[in-house]
Amino acid sequence: MLLNSYKITRTLPCLADPEKIRVIAEISDEIHEVFPYLNATLKGCIYNHPALTLTIKKDGKLFTLHAHHITLAKIEDEKEAEEILRWLRDLINETYEKRDHIEPNFSKGAELKALDIYKLLPGTSCKKCGELTCLAFAVKLVGQEIEITKCIPLFSEEYQEKRKVLFELLQAAGYDIPQMFLKNEEDLDVGVKGA
Ligand code: SF4
């Protein structure tokens, strides 16, 4: 068994849907060894091998696995979070047990979509980045034609939670976030603490 137990440690508002929650669970064991095997068997994962993160999309929800914790987004309540965590624990352990029969997949997988990025930007279309709209900025960001740091309003306290989730998604998809910005994110989950 690779993963023995988990514990929900934080429950936050979900940014994409205010009626739902975002849940962070600490886990008892390091699980990154199973990521390339999950990436090989599940469809639509985003795998970042250097950062040791795997994002799974299921029923419109996003589950991001890290070496030491799991983040769930667009969750109804803690009861649903517990069900998903149980499902993930079983999936992780079953996949790990079968790993000798699975060809590991180390590829990055699905790319981020501009709309996913757009939802996490301030959404004011203030033009400070030089683009006419936040959506235009999101399109350029996905194409790596502009840096996230050009969106100056995003770095204000008002957008702290959105920024954390956006950084998490960008890192999970293999995009670079300057270290100086990561250091300022106390509880940014990906690749900063624990990874
Ligand atoms: S600076 Fe940020 S908030 Fe302003 S238009 Fe650009 S992406 Fe949108």
Side-chain angles (χ1 to χ4, degrees), residues 12-109:
L12 306 162
C14 181
L15 300 169
D17 185 340
E19 294 187 357
K20 298 195 174 158
I21 57 171
R22 178 170 173 253
V23 172
I24 298 172
E26 300 294 331
I27 52 180
S28 58
D29 310 273
E30 283 197 15
I31 57 169
H32 61 85
E33 204 182 322
V34 78
F35 292 173
Y37 300 99
L38 288 170
N39 194 31
T41 53
L42 299 174
K43 284 185 183 165
C45 292
I46 300 171
Y47 181 40
N48 186 343
H49 183 52
L52 298 179
T53 64
L54 181 83
T55 300
I56 298 170
K57 296 176 190 173
K58 187 170 187 285
D59 303 330
K61 302 175 199 302
L62 281 179
F63 314 144
T64 303
L65 313 185
H66 308 256
H68 300 274
H69 67 282
I70 295 173
T71 304
L72 311 176
K74 294 182 85 173
I75 304 301
E76 297 289 343
D77 49 32
E78 282 209 21
K79 183 169 173 280
E80 186 187 32
E82 289 284 355
E83 284 168 12
I84 292 168
L85 287 166
R86 209 164 25 246
W87 174 77
L88 282 170
R89 184 196 57 195
D90 293 346
L91 177 72
I92 287 164
N93 288 329
E94 283 164 18
T95 305
Y96 186 69
E97 276 167 27
K98 292 182 197 156
R99 68 191 182 286
D100 290 344
H101 306 287
I102 301 169
E103 182 77 28
N105 179 2
F106 291 90
S107 67
K108 197 165 73 173

Side-chain angles (χ1 to χ4, degrees), residues 113-115 117-118 121 133-143:
K113 292 192 171 59
L115 209 52
I117 303 256
Y118 169 71
L121 291 171
T133 64
C134 292
L135 186 57
F137 179 87
V139 170
K140 282 203 171 175
L141 192 65
V142 165

